[in-house]
Amino acid sequence: MAEFTMELNDDQKQVRDWIHGFAADVMRPAAAEWDEREETPWPVIQEAAKVGIYSLDFYAQQFFDPTGLGIPMAMEELFWGDAGIALSIVGTGLAAIGVVANGTEEQIGTWIPQMYGTPDDVKVAAFCSSEPDAGSDVGSMRTRAVYDQAKDEWVLNGTKTWATNGGIANVHIVVAVVDPELGTKGHASFIVPPNTPGLSQGQKFKKHGIRASHTAEVVLEDVRIPGSCLLGGKEKLDERLARAHERARSGGGERVKNAAMATFEASRPAVGAMAVGTARAAYEVALDYAKTRTQFGRPIIDNQGVAFQLADMRTQIDAARLLVWRASWMAVAGRPFDSAEGSMSKLFASEVAKKVTAQAIQILGGNGFTREYPVERMHRDSAIYTIFEGTSEIQRLVIARTISGMPIR
């Protein structure tokens, strides 16, 4: 087990600089265009695939970094480039995490490569959990999966929403209710293969930020998938449901995490790293601007009102990164989040990103309010971090329940 460290090793620095170069040379020049177009930046994704950033091998290497810092380092640099394009590049990863967290070795080997495609024919994947009436309240999920034993098929019906790559994905991972009596413990995850009849894209959302990332509803109407597409397999599901029923009859027992929560818990520090990247990008723009913009015969950074803001911005960014790195190291080291450290990292970094990008606009003044400068886009993009994969309010609830041991509502 690697010791916790606050210093990247030489190999990690080399990877970081490589990703940073791609972000600076390919993503940033394209950011404003794809934000305005509000379309998936397929050419940029293809460029990422050609250099090896959009690939299963790349994410596997970062995921299995023994220090735990590979993924947060990569996320920070990509989202430093541009949040919307970066989410288009890494959005497939959430679906991949869902398969790795809940699937068998055969499912992992079969489906994850199909999520990415090849550099000449790139594909994307979608993780579908939220519903119109079930976002933070996963217990209200209505999408049903019913097993047809005669055909060894699962039949899915329902509507998912806020799905990154929803409807345009090659592979969809769908969380559905298999046993309504068990509430969230009666959920399971399913693989919907390419071109499966009954799956369609619903509304595509016109968003405030991350507009280069495709977000849409996914409609499931009598979607039939093979029994082998249940993540983890039916035997494992039946055993889990039986244990849950037994605990319900006995009035308690150990807590069981559902499939969606297992995915979100694994990804929260990575989302924190995304927020750090956006905050750092805005801070750097503001710092450069403050050093070169002159008013009353001197650079505006000579004024304490500006300089102190920048000092606070940098301090908060570094603090957020340390929380993300701690949680990432704890996860890879197998340390339990006894104080909800994963949620802490996501909560703090998300709030920092919103605050820092707003301060950057203030430092740039009227220029910061225009689309001629990128901080306006960064501020719009930052709003998503306190919302997706668990709102800030939900993170606080998780932390409060964890540190108190009480069923706080």
Side-chain angles (χ1 to χ4, degrees):
M1 181 181 70
E3 295 296 325
F4 178 70
T5 177
M6 293 184 290
E7 180 69 27
L8 299 178
N9 61 40
D10 290 342
D11 289 341
Q12 290 169 326
K13 289 177 182 177
Q14 185 176 7
V15 173
R16 178 199 62 190
D17 293 345
W18 169 52
I19 301 171
H20 184 85
F22 179 83
D25 298 339
V26 180
M27 295 173 64
R28 282 205 166 180
E33 175 189 351
W34 291 100
D35 178 71
E36 291 286 348
R37 291 176 63 167
E38 300 191 51
E39 296 175 358
T40 300
W42 291 107
V44 184
I45 298 175
Q46 188 168 36
E47 286 300 311
K50 287 180 179 178
V51 301
I53 290 176
Y54 185 76
S55 71
L56 173 61
D57 289 344
F58 171 75
Y59 289 106
Q61 289 173 11
Q62 304 315 310
F63 184 80
F64 290 111
D65 182 330
T67 70
L69 301 185
I71 289 293
M73 175 194 66
M75 295 301 104
E76 179 176 338
E77 294 305 326
L78 288 170
F79 281 75
W80 172 91
D82 178 68
I85 293 176
L87 193 58
S88 289
I89 293 173
V90 308
T92 293
L94 187 60
I97 289 172
V99 174
V100 171
N102 302 295
T104 64
E105 289 187 8
E106 182 179 357
Q107 289 170 331
I108 293 169
T110 298
W111 295 106
I112 290 185
Q114 295 188 49
M115 293 179 173
Y116 288 94
T118 67
D120 294 325
D121 185 21
V122 293
K123 304 293 185 183
V124 294
F127 182 76
C128 307
S129 176
S130 294
E131 298 183 2
D133 296 317
S136 298
D137 180 15
V138 294
S140 297
M141 189 176 293
R142 295 180 180 177
T143 296
R144 289 294 309 275
V146 178
Y147 184 58
D148 183 339
Q149 188 170 359
K151 296 183 178 180
D152 185 26
E153 292 179 339
W154 288 91
V155 184
L156 276 61
N157 281 282
T159 298
K160 294 296 182 178
T161 193
W162 310 122
T164 298
N165 299 327
I168 66 170
N170 196 45
V171 177
H172 291 76
I173 304 301
V174 177
V175 182
V177 178
V178 294
D179 192 331
E181 294 182 5
L182 292 174
T184 60
K185 299 179 182 67
H187 295 178
S189 292
F190 298 86
I191 303 160
V192 181
N195 303 314
T196 298
L199 185 148
S200 62
Q201 178 183 309
Q203 176 187 5
K204 177 186 175 182
F205 295 103
K206 306 283 281 185
K207 303 190 299 295
H208 174 66
I210 55 166
R211 301 197 304 190
S213 173
H214 176 97
T215 309
E217 291 182 331
V218 174
V219 180
L220 304 141
E221 297 178 311
D222 291 329
V223 172
R224 286 185 168 269
I225 56 175
S228 60
C229 287
L230 165 65
L231 282 175
K234 193 167 189 307
E235 181 177 351
K236 183 178 178 181
L237 173 65
D238 288 343
E239 291 175 356
R240 177 166 65 81
L241 296 177
R243 290 196 302 270
H245 276 290
E246 179 60 32
R247 276 188 290 271
R249 285 191 294 269
S250 64
E254 69 177 290
R255 178 174 174 265
V256 178
K257 295 187 177 83
N258 65 65
M261 289 301 100
T263 300
F264 290 141
E265 286 185 8
S267 64
R268 277 172 181 159
V271 176
M274 298 173 188
V276 171
T278 299
R280 192 185 108 212
Y283 157 77
E284 290 177 0
V285 172
L287 177 63
D288 289 343
Y289 185 88
K291 291 161 67 174
T292 57
R293 171 70 167 172
T294 59
Q295 289 287 282
F296 305 105
R298 62 182 183 177
I300 62 173
I301 200 171
D302 280 355
N303 299 299
Q304 288 186 1
V306 173
F308 285 7
Q309 281 195 74
L310 289 162
D312 286 343
M313 292 159 74
R314 176 60 185 267
T315 300
Q316 291 163 358
I317 291 167
D318 282 12
R321 183 184 297 110
L322 289 174
L323 282 173
V324 167
W325 283 18
R326 180 184 69 168
S328 300
W329 173 80
M330 289 178 68
V332 79
R335 301 288 183 90
F337 287 163
D338 290 333
S339 298
E341 287 87 351
S343 290
M344 283 185 186
S345 68
K346 198 265 186 188
L347 168 65
F348 189 77
S350 298
E351 297 291 344
V352 164
K354 286 185 68 174
K355 184 176 181 179
V356 165
T357 54
Q359 287 176 302
I361 290 177
Q362 192 68 23
I363 290 171
L364 268 66
N367 286 329
F369 199 65
T370 72
R371 294 188 183 181
E372 297 300 315
Y373 287 80
V375 291
E376 175 271 340
R377 184 178 68 252
M378 293 168 183
H379 184 52
R380 287 189 285 106
D381 291 343
S382 71
I384 194 60
Y385 300 127
T386 62
I387 298 173
F388 73 174
E389 295 195 47
T391 64
S392 287
E393 291 74 20
I394 289 296
Q395 305 309 322
R396 291 186 175 97
L397 184 63
V398 171
I399 296 166
R401 286 175 173 174
T402 304
I403 63 176
S404 69
M406 302 294 290
I408 298 168
R409 296 184 180 276

